[in-house]
Amino acid sequence: MKILGLIPARGGSKGVPRKNIKELAGKPLIAYTIEAAQQSDVLSEIFVSTDDAEIANVAQHYGVDVPLLRPAVLATDFTPMLAVVEHTIQYFAEIDKNFDAVCLLQPTCPLRTAQHIKEAVAVFEK
């Protein structure tokens, strides 16, 4: 099964400005999710959907290519997550890459481990 690990990380957080790249115990918050996704070995590809160049640079520093920035219209306080997922799927379809499933990985969950991702995928596949 081909599974896309999608990490949505917009730049315009209101509650904690720039939260996705704020340092937490020596690393940007988003790094914990990227590393867990990479170490899980169950995702065919990891993709960070962001509207923010600085977040994209941090993701790239941690080994995730960010080939495009999300349009501002999909990065508001009221943007439904489904629209972000659809935008990502459409991008991959345009470059002839398809997936059987999407594993949504919020960057605000730094305690999620690779094992948690493996277990979730195992339950999904079952």
Side-chain angles (χ1 to χ4, degrees), residues 1-7 42-48 85 88-89 91-92 97-105:
M1 179 177 284
K2 289 178 62 178
I3 301 173
L4 173 65
L6 172 57
I7 304 171
V42 294
L43 304 172
S44 305
E45 186 149 349
I46 300 165
F47 184 79
V48 172
V85 173
T88 301
I89 291 169
Y91 162 74
F92 279 108
K97 275 191 171 180
N98 297 296
F99 298 92
D100 300 304
V102 175
C103 180
L104 187 62
L105 300 166

Side-chain angles (χ1 to χ4, degrees), residues 38-110:
Q38 291 166 330
Q39 294 165 9
S40 74
D41 294 324
V42 294
L43 304 172
S44 305
E45 186 149 349
I46 300 165
F47 184 79
V48 172
S49 174
T50 186
D51 62 315
D52 186 276
E54 190 175 5
I55 292 172
N57 288 337
V58 170
Q60 289 169 339
H61 175 79
Y62 282 89
V64 177
D65 188 32
V66 182
L68 78 153
L69 292 181
R70 187 186 333 162
V73 69
L74 293 177
T76 72
D77 289 344
F78 305 103
T79 301
M81 189 54 63
L82 181 57
V84 174
V85 173
E86 289 172 337
H87 175 259
T88 301
I89 291 169
Q90 179 181 5
Y91 162 74
F92 279 108
E94 288 172 2
I95 62 169
D96 263 351
K97 275 191 171 180
N98 297 296
F99 298 92
D100 300 304
V102 175
C103 180
L104 187 62
L105 300 166
Q106 297 286 0
T108 52
C109 299

